[in-house]
């Protein structure tokens, strides 16, 4: 039977996800099974039989009206309109509740080798991406506001700011390898495994189960925190714009980003004085504060548990060679801060919220939460024409690139059409 003739499991639209191998599809289905009784997740309707393809058929929660937006969309709207902040707070609170409940109900202290390896052991292994990006090549970059060019290896001999911070990437990677050894034991529970802005729908529903299973509590927190701090509002839209536009419903542009305000190089002393502002929108600022309160408050996860996992997220997602000198130095400063024993949660996650935009620019057409649609005035209903055009454009783009990461419903891929390859994992 060809994919184009596959019967639908129900009259509701279906999202077809393709795994790289049969084993990966089986692992994802198994991970979903571990969560379905505990979390809000899409229905898994089956695994269509298509020659040389490994598909999973999920409920399309957007086409069914169960959900409207993704976490990244709600943050972007809250950056623009303070009226969206309560909706954002509810969503982040729900995420934190689910992560805490996973530890309370299924938590065990286990060797890291018993956890899902994709975001931890696979990335930290010798010869893996961290070695390729930072150790096996000596990447050069120009210091912002100077004409001085340094390499990452040379930077290891420098200190920064008053503490001082050591900008030694190789030493940080070695420290992470020791902390995240296969036999090191961590508190871990059954979770979705990749709590990022494209994987959390509103009203709360968890999406994407490639990493579902037993995951460390600290690793899940670090993943969420760094995505809120740097990935969702800065690095992904700037360096992976295709991923950003494909994985969010609205994909609104970021209104601000972190910035180095002052840099002074003391070459003889091998010291750099840096002042920076970690600028965010007010919605993102609120989401970070809410997540910290939800996961780290009242005896929750401490900075001492986050050091290694934060370093892995900071270094292991966007290749260093793609970053400008300004952005690479900011990333390396945050790496050094994350490894500083004196660093506190409040200091590391300090952000500078920019004011909301002028009320005339607020998005009146933002869709209401799915549960509120019946009371939505007809005059306030969103104009979907822009999204329909974007949907058509993205379907065309996916047919060219073979990627099928969009959260909108679509027909199963046809045999011989562009491969629906694995989603890029951030």
């Amino acid at each position: 039977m060809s994919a184009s003739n596959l019967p639908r499991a129900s009259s509701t639209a279906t999202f077809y996800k393709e795994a790289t191998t049969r084993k990966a599809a089986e692992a994802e289905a198994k991970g979903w099974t571990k969560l379905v009784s505990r979390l809000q997740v899409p229905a898994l309707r089956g695994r269509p039989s298509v020659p040389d393809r490994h598909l999973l058929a999920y409920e399309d929660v957007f086409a069914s009206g169960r959900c409207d937006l993704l976490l990244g969309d709600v943050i972007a709207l809250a950056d623009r309109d303070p009226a969206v902040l309560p909706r954002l707070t509810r969503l982040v609170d729900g995420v934190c509740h689910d992560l805490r409940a996973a530890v309370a109900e299924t938590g065990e202290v286990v060797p890291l080798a018993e956890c899902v390896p994709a975001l931890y052991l696979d990335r930290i292994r010798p010869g893996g991406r961290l070695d390729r990006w930072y150790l096996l090549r000596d990447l050069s970059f120009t210091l912002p506001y100077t004409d001085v060019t340094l390499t990452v290896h040379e930077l290891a001999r420098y200190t920064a700011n008053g503490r001082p911070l050591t900008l030694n990437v190789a030493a940080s990677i070695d420290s992470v390898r020791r902390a995240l050894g296969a036999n090191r034991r961590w508190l871990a529970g059954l979770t979705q495994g990749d709590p990022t802005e494209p994987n959390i729908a509103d009203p709360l529903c968890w999406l994407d189960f490639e990493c579902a299973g037993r995951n460390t509590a600290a690793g899940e927190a670090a993943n969420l925190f760094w995505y809120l701090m740097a990935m969702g509002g800065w690095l992904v839209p700037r360096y992976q714009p295709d991923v950003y536009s494909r994985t969010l419903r609205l994909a609104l542009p970021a209104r601000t980003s972190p910035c180095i305000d002052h840099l002074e190089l003391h070459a003889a002393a091998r010291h750099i004085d840096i002042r920076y502002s970690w600028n965010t929108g007010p919605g993102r600022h609120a989401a970070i504060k809410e997540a910290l309160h939800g996961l780290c408050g009242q005896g929750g996860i401490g900075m001492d548990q986050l050091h290694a996992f934060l370093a892995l997220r900071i270094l292991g997602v966007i290749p260093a060679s793609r970053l400008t000198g300004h952005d690479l130095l900011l990333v390396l400063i945050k790496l050094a801060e994350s490894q500083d024993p004196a660093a506190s949660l409040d200091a590391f996650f300090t952000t500078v919220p920019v004011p909301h935009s002028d009320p005339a620019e607020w998005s009146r057409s933002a869709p209401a939460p799915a549960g509120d649609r019946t009371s939505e005035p007809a005059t306030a209903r969103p104009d979907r024409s822009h999204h329909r055009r974007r949907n058509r454009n993205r379907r065309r783009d996916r047919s060219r690139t073979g990627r099928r990461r969009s959260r909108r419903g679509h027909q199963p891929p046809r045999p011989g059409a562009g491969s629906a390859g694995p989603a890029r994992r951030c």
Side-chain angles (χ1 to χ4, degrees):
M1 179 182 293
S2 69
S4 60
N5 293 326
L6 284 173
R8 288 182 177 271
S10 78
S11 59
T12 305
T14 300
F15 172 75
Y16 290 89
K17 167 78 179 293
E18 181 167 13
T20 53
T21 64
R22 179 181 297 277
K23 183 178 180 180
E26 292 171 349
E28 179 165 341
K30 184 178 180 181
W32 177 90
T33 301
K34 293 178 180 179
L35 304 182
V36 65
S37 64
R38 299 186 49 257
L39 301 178
Q40 291 293 322
V41 297
L44 177 58
R45 297 188 170 129
R47 293 176 52 194
S49 178
V50 181
D52 301 321
R53 313 297 288 273
H54 309 288
L55 300 179
L56 298 101
Y58 287 104
E59 168 197 3
D60 187 322
V61 296
F62 299 109
S64 69
R66 178 176 169 183
C67 301
D68 293 296
L69 298 174
L70 293 155
L71 173 57
D73 299 315
V74 181
I75 291 173
L77 291 175
D79 281 344
R80 291 159 169 79
D81 185 351
V84 184
L85 287 171
R87 178 178 182 177
L88 174 60
T89 298
R90 286 193 299 272
L91 182 57
V92 176
D93 279 350
V95 170
C96 294
H97 173 272
D98 282 354
L99 292 175
R100 291 195 310 268
V103 172
E105 297 168 9
T106 68
E108 298 178 15
V109 177
V110 299
L112 193 62
E114 296 182 15
C115 298
V116 179
L119 300 185
Y120 312 133
L121 292 180
D122 286 355
R123 295 191 176 186
I124 201 64
R125 71 180 188 277
R129 66 167 59 177
L130 294 191
D131 284 9
R132 295 196 304 272
W133 291 357
Y134 292 97
L135 302 184
L136 299 180
R137 59 184 302 185
D138 198 6
L139 184 69
S140 63
F141 67 100
T142 300
L143 291 177
Y145 312 123
T146 76
D147 57 0
V148 176
T149 298
L150 292 174
T151 70
V152 170
H153 292 181
E154 288 172 338
L155 197 64
R157 298 194 294 271
Y158 281 73
T159 56
N161 292 352
R163 283 198 279 270
L165 299 170
T166 301
L167 302 173
N168 191 329
V169 176
S172 294
I173 292 175
D174 185 61
S175 175
V176 171
R177 284 207 170 110
R178 291 195 302 272
L180 300 184
N183 295 323
R184 295 295 296 269
R185 301 176 70 84
W186 294 86
L187 177 62
L190 298 179
T191 65
Q192 178 264 357
D194 192 16
T196 56
E197 294 169 28
N199 290 340
I200 299 167
D202 182 56
L204 179 56
C205 183
W206 293 88
L207 310 175
D208 195 336
F209 306 99
E210 291 181 28
C211 298
R214 188 162 295 280
N215 292 284
T216 64
E220 294 287 84
N223 197 345
L224 176 63
F225 292 156
W226 186 244
Y227 210 98
L228 292 173
M229 275 287 286
M231 300 300 296
W234 175 37
L235 295 175
V236 173
R238 180 169 295 180
Y239 294 102
Q240 296 179 339
D242 58 328
V243 174
Y244 185 74
S245 64
R246 190 174 63 248
T247 57
L248 293 182
R249 300 279 288 170
L250 303 179
L252 298 175
R255 297 183 60 239
T256 187
S257 62
C259 180
I260 293 176
D261 303 313
H262 169 82
L263 185 147
E264 187 174 352
L265 173 66
H266 304 276
R270 296 187 182 277
H271 184 77
I272 304 171
D273 282 321
I274 299 173
R275 292 197 302 270
Y276 68 82
S277 300
W278 205 269
N279 303 315
T280 68
R284 188 166 295 278
H285 173 78
I288 292 167
K289 287 187 64 176
E290 200 66 33
L292 286 170
H293 174 74
L295 296 180
C296 300
Q298 299 180 344
I301 297 169
M303 190 68 185
D304 58 325
Q305 298 169 269
L306 295 174
H307 289 306
F309 293 103
L310 276 174
L312 192 52
R313 300 307 296 169
I314 291 169
L315 294 177
V317 180
I318 306 289
S321 60
R322 298 188 59 185
L323 304 182
T324 65
H326 173 279
D327 291 353
L328 177 58
L329 188 57
L330 270 175
V331 165
L332 296 182
I333 286 292
K334 295 307 282 186
L335 171 70
E337 290 179 1
S338 75
Q339 303 307 292
D340 181 8
S344 68
L345 284 166
D346 289 341
F348 183 85
F349 291 107
T350 294
T351 60
V352 180
V354 301
H356 280 103
S357 57
D358 186 272
E361 299 176 6
W362 293 353
S363 176
R364 300 187 186 92
S365 63
D372 296 343
R373 281 183 170 175
T374 56
S375 60
E376 183 182 2
T379 55
R381 290 191 183 278
D383 177 3
R384 301 289 189 186
S385 59
H386 170 68
H387 302 307
R388 285 194 294 268
R389 289 193 298 272
R390 177 180 289 168
N391 196 16
R392 288 194 297 269
N393 291 340
R394 289 184 185 174
R395 284 199 297 268
R396 183 185 63 239
D397 292 342
R398 288 197 302 273
S399 68
R400 292 174 179 170
T401 64
R403 298 184 184 272
R404 296 194 178 271
R405 178 68 168 163
S406 171
R407 296 300 187 190
R408 295 168 176 81
H410 55 272
Q411 295 293 328
R414 299 184 304 276
S419 171
R424 185 181 302 223
R425 174 136 327 269
C426 291

